[in-house]
Amino acid sequence: MIMKRSRRVHEKKDGEDDENTVVCNILRLPEACLAHAISLTTPGDACRSIAVSSAFQAAASSNSVWERFLPPGYGSILARADHPVDLTSTMKELFCSLAQDHVLLDQGTKSFWLEQTSGAKCYMLSSSSLGIAWRENPLYWRRTYLPDSRFEEVTELLAVCWLEVSGKIDSGELSPDKKYSAYLVFRLLNESCGLDCPTQQGFITRDGEIVSAKRIISLHPQTTAQEAAAESGDEQGRGRADEEVSITTVSVSYPRERDDGWMEVELGEFYNRQEDTGILAISLIEHVQLHWKKGLICEGIEIRPKK
C-alpha cells in the first residue's frame, strides 16, 4: 500500500511538472503572440487573463488587443460626435469609456456606445429623429425637456387616436452577425390612457420586408385584469377579464423599468448578417381601434444586441 501511494504521489508530481512546463513555455512566447491570442477572445476574457501573470497583464492591456475589440470604422463614427472624443488615450481606455457612457452623434439625433461584453455597436435614436404622425400639430404632440434624458428634447403625447412612431437606421451601422432587439424608451404620465390597446403593434422591416414577427405592445406595465376586476367586486367583469387574458396576453410585450429610471418595451428583434444591407425601420402603430391615447413621453428607440 505504501508503494502504491508513493507511486501515485510520484505520478502526480510528474503531472504537475508537465503542467508547469506548459505554463512556462507559454510565458516564453513573445508578447505580440500572447496579445494576438488574447485578441481572439472577448473583452471579458482579456480582463480575466490579466490575473494570470505579469506577461499576460502586459499583453492583455496592449493597444493591439483592445483595438481589435473596437468595432471596424469606429473612427468615422466618433468623427460624427457632437463633442470631441479623446483618441489619445489607450485603446483599452477608449473601449471602457465607450462601454460605460454614450456619445451623442449627428447634432444630438443619435447616441452611440459599445456593448460591454462583446464590443457590438449600440444606438439610441432620439425622439426628434423619429417619424411621429401628427407631431408638428401642437394639439397632439409637443417637444419638451427633461433633465434626466440623454437628449436635449423629448416628445410628449398630448392626445391622438392614430398612433404611429418609427425610427430608421442603416443595417451597415450595426455590428455584423449579431442578433439585435429594438426598444421604445419612454415614460408615462399619471394621466396616461389608451396605450395598452390590443391592436397596438410593434414590428421591424428592412427595405419594406418584415424581419421580425409582429407583436402586441402594451405601454402600461403588466397587471392582471383579474386583480382589477376583483378590486371592483365585479364578478362578471372578472369572467370577461379571464377570457380576455387567455386570448390576448400570450404575445403581448410589456414594459420594464430601466436602471436609468426610464421604461422600455421591446418592439421586435432581428439578426443582422454580414451581407445584410438596407434601411431598418422600427415601428409602433395603432390605427385600427383608434382609441384616444395620451400621457406618453418618448425619449427614443434603442437598438442593442439581444442577450
Side-chain angles (χ1 to χ4, degrees), residues 31-68:
E31 183 180 307
C33 291
L34 274 179
H36 178 71
I38 294 170
S39 71
L40 299 176
T41 61
T42 67
D45 291 332
C47 290
R48 285 186 287 271
S49 70
I50 289 174
V52 173
S53 69
S54 57
F56 269 81
Q57 182 178 14
S61 301
S62 66
N63 279 340
S64 61
V65 168
W66 289 92
E67 187 163 25
R68 189 180 179 98

Side-chain angles (χ1 to χ4, degrees), residues 67-139:
E67 187 163 25
R68 189 180 179 98
F69 293 151
L70 289 166
Y74 71 89
S76 61
I77 296 173
L78 297 181
R80 295 155 48 196
D82 292 354
H83 305 286
V85 177
D86 181 13
L87 299 177
T88 63
S89 58
T90 67
M91 294 296 101
K92 182 179 179 181
E93 289 171 341
L94 177 60
F95 181 97
C96 292
S97 174
L98 294 174
Q100 292 168 3
D101 202 0
H102 66 271
V103 176
L104 289 176
L105 305 177
D106 304 336
Q107 291 75 53
T109 58
K110 290 189 186 80
S111 72
F112 166 77
W113 69 102
L114 298 180
E115 204 262 333
Q116 194 167 23
T117 58
S118 66
K121 292 183 277 188
C122 309
Y123 294 89
M124 185 188 285
L125 312 178
S126 73
S127 66
S128 64
S129 72
L130 303 180
I132 300 178
W134 314 107
R135 176 172 50 192
E136 301 310 318
N137 190 322
L139 295 175

Side-chain angles (χ1 to χ4, degrees), residues 144-245:
T144 187
Y145 167 77
L146 288 180
D148 60 346
S149 172
R150 68 183 64 186
F151 301 112
E152 288 188 1
E153 68 176 42
V154 294
T155 306
E156 180 183 344
L157 170 59
L158 301 178
V160 294
C161 291
W162 181 292
L163 178 65
E164 185 170 331
V165 178
S166 64
K168 294 183 178 180
I169 190 168
D170 194 306
S171 298
E173 288 203 63
L174 303 174
S175 295
D177 299 322
K178 291 287 182 185
K179 189 174 186 179
Y180 277 90
S181 286
Y183 302 84
L184 181 73
V185 181
F186 67 98
R187 186 168 288 164
L188 294 178
L189 299 175
N190 291 334
E191 66 273 17
S192 64
C193 69
L195 295 168
D196 57 352
C197 179
T199 55
Q200 199 165 263
Q201 291 187 327
F203 58 92
I204 302 172
T205 62
R206 181 184 281 113
D207 287 345
E209 294 187 10
I210 292 181
V211 295
S212 72
K214 290 187 178 182
R215 58 180 70 192
I216 299 170
I217 304 297
S218 173
L219 299 183
H220 288 285
Q222 183 173 16
T223 57
T224 64
Q226 296 99 319
E227 288 176 353
E231 287 177 2
S232 66
D234 182 3
E235 292 295 333
Q236 186 178 357
R238 197 177 313 163
R240 289 196 304 270
D242 290 338
E243 182 181 357
E244 182 180 350
V245 167

